[in-house]
Amino acid sequence: MEFIVSLFSQPSIMVGIMALIGLIALKKSVQEIINGTLKTIIGFIILQIGAGAIVSSLNVLGPLFQNAFHLQGVIPTNEAVIGLAQKMFGTEMALMMAFGFLVNLIIARLTPLKYVFLTGHHILFMSGLLAAVLSTAGFRGTELVIVGSLILGSTMVLTPAVVQPYYRKVTGNDSVAMGHYNALTYFLSAYISGLVGDKKRSTEDIKVPQGLSFFKDNTISTAIIMMIIFLVTLYSADRKLVLETSGGQNIFIFAITQALTFTAGFVVVLQGVRMMLAEIVPAFKGIAEKIVPDAIPALDCPVIFPFAPNAVIVGFLSSLVGGIVMFLILPYMGLPVIIPGLIPLFFVGAAAGVLSNAAGGLRGTIIGGFVNGLILTFLPAILLPVMGQLGFANTTFGDADFAVTGIVVGYAAKFFNKTGVYILIGLLLLLFIIVSLVAKPKKVEKAE
C-alpha cells in the first residue's frame, strides 16, 4: 500500500514510467529508452522545483496578504484534508488509486475518450475525497474500493475531455491534455471568454511604449508586477508580523527577493515543461500504438504556461480580483467565508488565462479569469458544510472538480444511500456508451 501511495505521490516517476512503457513499445534502443525516460523524469522534476519556488513565495505572501487587507475565514487546503483522510482510509485510498488508473486505461481503450490522467497528486486527492464521501453511504472494504475506483477512473477521463476543445486552441493539436481537477472553471472561463472577448487581440500582442519596451520580456514584466504586489502587501501588513516572517530582514529587500524568487520559479517551470514535453509526447506514441490507440497524456496545468506567458500573469491577477470580490459577497449569501488561496488562484488562474486567451484574447482573459476567481472561492464555500458532515471540520478542497464531485456524490449518498451512488455509476456507464456510439471515429491529430 505504501508503494502505491508513494508511486502516485511522485508524478515525475509516474510520468517517467509512462515514457518508459511507450519507448519500449516503440522498440527503441536501450540508449534511447534510458535517455528518454530519464529526461522525462528530470524535466518534470525541474517543473516541480520551479513550482516549489512559486509556492514558497506565495506561502510567504499569503498570511501577510490576509493581515494587510484584514481577511478572515477558511483557507481551502487540499493537503490538510488528505492528511486526515489518509489516517482514516489509507489502505482504501491506495487501492483506489491503483484500480482507478486501471479503469482510466480501460475507458480510454474502449471509448473515443483517449485521455490518460498522469497528475499523481490530484489522483491522490480525489481518491481521498471519494473514500470519505462514500463511507458515509455505508461503503466499506472491497465495495468501497471498487465503487471509488469506478468513479475515480471516470473523472480521470471526463475532466480532460471537457477542457480539450479549448486546450486544442492553445496547442494546435491533441498531443497533450489537461490533467488537473479544475475542468469546470477552465471550461467556463474559456467559454465566457469566447462570448465576450476578441481573440484577434491576444495577451501576447500587448503593445507598450518604446520607453517601456523591456515589458515585452515576460520574465521582466512578471518580476515587476510581483515586486509591486509584494511591496504593497508587505508595507500594508503589520510591521511586527512582516519582521517575524522575514527573519528581521529589511522589508524592501525581502519583498524584492521574494518577488524575484517567484519569477525565477516561473522561468524554471517553463523550462521544465519544454524539456518534459520534448520527451513524453514522442514516447506516448508507443502507448498509443500498443496499449491505448491514440492515447493522449493528461498532464498538470503548468504544461500550457509556455504557450502564452503574458496570459499566465493576466489570468492570475484577474482571478485574484474575482476571488476577493466573492470573498466580500459570501457573508451576504449566508455561506461560510472562504479566503482566496493565492496558490490555487495562481496555478488555476494562470492556466485559465492561457485557455481564455486562446478563446477570447486579452479582454476575454480578463473577464474569464475574473469568473475563474469567483468560482474558485464560491465552490469551496458550498463544499465546506459537506466536509464538516464527514468529520473534516473547518477545512475544504480548493479545486473546482473536487468540490463538484464531493457535492454530487455526497448528496447522492445522503439522500439515496448506496442506491444513489450506484445510479450515478450507471449514468456514467450510459454516458460512455452514448459517447462511443455517437462519436465519429477519427485519427487523433498529433504533433510531430
Side-chain angles (χ1 to χ4, degrees):
M1 296 304 100
E2 182 182 353
F3 173 80
I4 294 173
V5 173
S6 297
L7 172 63
F8 283 90
S9 299
Q10 294 295 326
S12 59
I13 301 299
M14 189 173 171
V15 172
I17 291 173
M18 291 296 104
L20 173 66
I21 294 171
L23 292 169
I24 292 174
L26 288 173
K27 298 181 180 180
K28 296 291 186 178
S29 67
V30 173
Q31 180 180 347
E32 289 175 315
I33 291 173
I34 294 174
N35 287 348
T37 302
L38 291 181
K39 284 185 177 180
T40 299
I41 296 174
I42 292 169
F44 203 100
I45 290 175
I46 291 173
L47 184 159
Q48 289 179 307
I49 291 172
I54 292 172
V55 169
S56 175
S57 292
L58 293 178
N59 278 335
V60 169
L61 183 65
L64 296 173
F65 188 84
Q66 295 166 38
N67 177 269
F69 302 104
H70 308 291
L71 307 181
Q72 293 184 344
V74 176
I75 303 175
T77 309
N78 298 337
E79 290 77 7
V81 182
I82 291 305
L84 294 171
Q86 282 185 301
K87 293 180 180 179
M88 300 166 61
F89 308 103
T91 300
E92 292 87 345
M93 285 173 58
L95 292 172
M96 202 180 295
M97 290 162 68
F99 289 112
F101 187 70
L102 180 60
V103 170
N104 178 182
L105 291 177
I106 293 172
I107 295 173
R109 170 81 184 189
L110 299 178
T111 76
L113 305 177
K114 302 299 182 181
Y115 308 101
V116 179
F117 199 106
L118 296 176
T119 308
H121 64 289
H122 266 225
I123 300 174
L124 172 66
F125 295 162
M126 186 62 83
S127 68
L129 170 68
L130 289 171
V133 172
L134 291 172
S135 67
T136 64
F139 289 97
R140 297 288 186 275
T142 302
E143 188 181 22
L144 172 61
V145 171
I146 293 174
V147 172
S149 298
L150 291 172
I151 298 176
L152 175 62
S154 298
T155 64
M156 291 166 70
V157 173
L158 291 174
T159 52
V162 169
V163 185
Q164 192 62 13
Y166 295 105
Y167 212 90
R168 194 179 298 118
K169 289 179 182 290
V170 173
T171 63
N173 53 62
D174 286 312
S175 57
V176 289
M178 180 68 75
H180 195 243
Y181 279 125
N182 277 287
L184 177 65
T185 60
Y186 292 142
F187 173 81
L188 288 178
S189 59
Y191 177 74
I192 292 172
S193 174
L195 293 178
V196 303
D198 178 10
K199 63 181 180 181
K200 293 180 180 178
R201 191 187 176 202
S202 169
T203 56
E204 310 312 296
D205 298 329
I206 295 175
K207 294 181 179 180
V208 296
Q210 186 62 34
L212 299 175
S213 59
F214 55 86
F215 267 102
K216 293 180 180 179
D217 186 322
N218 59 71
T219 300
I220 302 303
S221 60
T222 299
I224 292 174
I225 290 170
M226 294 310 298
M227 280 191 280
I228 293 172
I229 292 174
F230 269 92
L231 287 169
V232 169
T233 300
L234 267 64
Y235 278 104
S236 300
D238 179 75
R239 185 175 180 82
K240 182 179 179 181
L241 177 62
V242 174
L243 290 175
E244 288 177 359
T245 304
S246 66
Q249 291 185 49
N250 176 272
I251 296 177
F252 181 83
I253 298 300
F254 181 69
I256 298 299
T257 302
Q258 289 298 319
L260 295 180
T261 298
F262 176 97
T263 306
F266 179 53
V267 174
V268 172
V269 164
L270 300 184
Q271 179 59 36
V273 166
R274 293 187 184 102
M275 182 175 179
M276 180 185 66
L277 289 183
E279 301 298 331
I280 189 67
V281 172
F284 233 75
K285 291 181 180 179
I287 293 177
E289 292 176 6
K290 304 294 183 180
I291 303 174
V292 178
D294 296 327
I296 305 173
L299 302 169
D300 205 350
C301 61
V303 76
I304 57 169
F305 290 2
F307 289 91
N310 289 344
V312 167
I313 301 304
V314 175
F316 165 49
L317 294 178
S318 54
S319 293
L320 178 60
V321 173
I324 293 173
V325 169
M326 181 54 67
F327 163 79
L328 296 174
I329 294 175
L330 285 174
Y332 298 98
M333 300 173 68
L335 292 171
V337 177
I338 300 296
I339 296 177
L342 293 183
I343 293 174
L345 282 175
F346 171 72
F347 285 101
V348 181
V354 177
L355 294 167
S356 297
N357 179 59
L362 176 59
R363 183 171 68 233
T365 302
I366 294 172
I367 297 173
F370 180 80
V371 172
N372 175 71
L374 291 175
I375 298 172
L376 274 182
T377 309
F378 175 74
L379 284 178
I382 299 295
L383 181 63
L384 186 63
V386 177
M387 298 305 297
Q389 295 170 9
L390 299 177
F392 300 90
N394 295 320
T395 187
T396 183
F397 284 94
D399 295 281
D401 295 346
F402 296 129
V404 172
T405 304
I407 292 168
V408 172
V409 178
Y411 280 105
K414 179 179 180 180
F415 292 114
F416 303 104
N417 297 315
K418 289 185 178 181
T419 302
V421 177
Y422 281 120
I423 290 174
L424 180 61
I425 292 175
L427 292 174
L428 288 172
L429 177 60
L430 179 62
L431 175 62
F432 291 127
I433 293 173
I434 293 173
V435 169
S436 299
L437 294 175
V438 172
K440 296 179 181 179
K442 69 173 185 177
K443 183 142 183 94
V444 176
E445 181 186 356
K446 294 282 186 175
E448 293 297 331

